[in-house]
Amino acid sequence: MTGAVVHPRALPNTLSAEELRIRPADRDRPELAVDPSRAGWRYLSFRVTALGAGDEMAVGSDGLETAVVVLGGGGASVVPEAAPPLELPGRESVFEALPWAAWLPPGTRARIASQPRQDGGAVHLALAQAPASGRSGVAETPIRIGPDDVRVEVRGAGNATRQINHIIAPDFPADRLLLVEVFTPAGNWSSWPPHKHDVDAMPAEAVLEEVYHYRLRRPEGWAIQRLYRGDGSRDALWAVAHGDLVLVTDGYHPFAAAHGYDAYYLNALAGDRRTMACSFDPDLDWTRAAWSGMETDPRVPLVRPAGWPRAIDR
C-alpha cells in the first residue's frame, strides 16, 4: 500500500435511477461509456465498443492503467508502443468460452486492431481505466490474460448458484483495477446475499466503485437489478437488458436472471485497496449459512474451463 491514499467512504452520490442505468442505442452493437465526472466517483472509467474489420483504436494515457476484455465477435491484437503485441484470440460470445484480456500499466499507450470472425462482423470490447495510486508492487510491463489464467469459481448453492470468472483478481499485479465475469443461470440469483462496498472498514469492507455490464444468451430477454441503501434513501429496480450498464456507486446490489434467460455481467471495479472485501445486508446474510444443506445447480459452470471439473474452485 506504499504511497496509496485510502478514503474512508465513497463520495456522496445523488444520481437518479435513470442516470444510474446507461442504455446503448443499438443492442446488436452496444457502445457506451462512463467516466468519473459522469458517475460522480473518483477513479473508474469504463467503455464498451465494437470494432469492425480493419478498425483500430488507441488506448492508454499518462497516469492511467488500462484493461481490455474481448466480449465477443472475434479477437483483437493489442499493440503497446514499446512492448511486443498481445494477441487475444477472443471468442464468439461470452457464452462460448472463457475470456481473453490484456492489462496495460499506468502510462502505457497501445493500439487495438480488431480481428472479426465473420465478414461484416465486429469485435465487441470492454475497456476499463483508473488512475495510478502510487502503490508499490504494480507490474511495469503489459500482461496478456488467457483462459488458462482465469480462475473459475462456483459460488453459492440452490438457486443462488453462479459462476465467477476472476480475470484481474486482488492478487494480480494491477494498481486499482479489478475485473470479474459472473454467469447467472436462468431463474437464479447472484450478488447474493446483497452486499455493499462503500466504506473503508477493513478487513470486512473496502470502498470500491463498480459497473455491471450485461449480456444475455438470448438478447431479447431481461434480468432484474436492484440497488438500495440500508437507510432507504435510495431504492432502484431495473429490468436490465442485453448491453445495458448500471453504475454501483454505493449500497447493496443483488441481481436475478429471468426464467429461460441465462445472464452474464462483467464487473469492473476500482478503489484504494486491492481487495474485494464487502459487507452483507444484515437482514439477509443468514442465507449463506443455508447453502451448506443445498446442492449446487448442476448447470454451473455455464462456460466450462479446460479440465473441468478439476479447474473449478468451490
Side-chain angles (χ1 to χ4, degrees), residues 18 26 34 42 66-67 120 141 166 202 208 224 255 266 290:
E18 291 75 17
D26 182 352
V34 64
R42 296 181 177 97
T66 304
T141 57
H166 297 272
M202 290 296 289
L208 292 167
I224 295 294
F255 174 88
L266 175 65

Side-chain angles (χ1 to χ4, degrees), residues 230-260:
D231 64 6
S233 60
R234 171 180 283 160
D235 196 344
L237 187 72
W238 301 275
V240 292
H242 185 83
D244 283 0
L245 179 77
V246 165
L247 309 178
V248 178
T249 58
D250 60 279
Y252 302 102
H253 39 282
F255 174 88
H259 175 73

Side-chain angles (χ1 to χ4, degrees), residues 65 103 135 137-139 168-169 171-178 274:
E65 65 173 325
W103 176 83
R135 67 162 49 89
V138 177
I168 297 180
D171 60 356
F172 187 98
D175 194 336
R176 297 189 188 278
L177 289 177
L178 300 160
R274 291 211 61 74

Side-chain angles (χ1 to χ4, degrees), residues 1-310:
M1 291 297 297
T2 302
V5 174
V6 176
H7 293 88
R9 62 186 63 254
L11 289 173
N13 191 283
T14 59
L15 293 178
S16 67
E18 291 75 17
E19 293 169 315
L20 288 166
R21 179 177 59 179
I22 302 173
R23 316 201 81 170
D26 182 352
R27 296 202 183 280
D28 292 329
R29 191 166 172 161
E31 303 210 20
L32 43 80
V34 64
D35 61 18
S37 64
R38 166 70 176 78
W41 53 37
R42 296 181 177 97
Y43 305 127
L44 181 62
S45 295
F46 184 81
R47 178 180 178 186
V48 174
T49 192
L51 300 180
D55 289 346
E56 293 189 357
M57 67 178 297
V59 296
S61 63
D62 291 343
L64 291 177
E65 65 173 325
T66 304
V68 181
V69 180
V70 179
L71 297 174
S77 180
V78 179
V79 186
E81 286 183 342
L86 306 178
E87 299 298 337
L88 309 181
R91 49 191 171 177
E92 185 58 37
S93 80
V94 297
F95 294 98
E96 178 198 72
L98 296 181
W100 287 88
W103 176 83
L104 305 176
T108 301
R109 290 175 168 80
R111 62 179 177 84
I112 301 176
S114 68
Q115 300 168 352
R117 290 192 180 178
Q118 299 180 6
D119 291 342
V123 178
H124 296 240
L125 301 169
L127 300 97
Q129 289 189 308
S133 69
R135 67 162 49 89
S136 60
V138 177
E140 297 180 356
T141 57
I143 300 174
R144 184 177 82 152
I145 304 162
D148 290 342
D149 302 310
V150 175
R151 181 170 63 87
V152 175
E153 176 189 358
V154 174
R155 186 178 297 176
N159 70 339
T161 309
R162 63 274 199 186
Q163 173 181 349
I164 317 294
N165 292 344
H166 297 272
I167 303 172
I168 297 180
D171 60 356
F172 187 98
D175 194 336
R176 297 189 188 278
L177 289 177
L178 300 160
L179 285 176
V180 298
E181 297 181 325
V182 180
F183 290 87
T184 311
N188 282 17
W189 291 77
S190 58
S191 291
W192 190 270
H195 66 276
K196 72 179 186 72
H197 34 74
D198 52 31
V199 299
D200 189 73
M202 290 296 289
E205 183 177 355
V207 179
L208 292 167
E209 304 159 358
E210 183 175 27
V211 296
Y212 276 51
H213 174 62
Y214 311 92
R215 301 266 162 151
L216 298 175
R217 193 189 294 273
R218 295 176 60 95
E220 78 277 8
W222 46 269
I224 295 294
Q225 180 74 61
R226 187 183 181 197
L227 177 60
Y228 68 97
R229 294 172 178 154
D231 64 6
S233 60
R234 171 180 283 160
D235 196 344
L237 187 72
W238 301 275
V240 292
H242 185 83
D244 283 0
L245 179 77
V246 165
L247 309 178
V248 178
T249 58
D250 60 279
Y252 302 102
H253 39 282
F255 174 88
H259 175 73
Y261 287 89
D262 293 337
Y264 160 100
Y265 50 83
L266 175 65
N267 292 142
L269 307 95
D272 294 322
R273 299 183 184 272
R274 291 211 61 74
T275 180
M276 297 285 276
C278 62
S279 65
F280 298 96
D281 184 331
D283 291 335
L284 300 168
D285 193 22
W286 68 268
T287 57
R288 288 193 295 160
W291 294 343
S292 62
M294 300 179 183
E295 296 293 328
T296 56
D297 189 325
R299 294 175 294 175
V300 180
L302 287 179
V303 179
R304 299 186 176 187
W308 183 88
R310 176 187 56 80

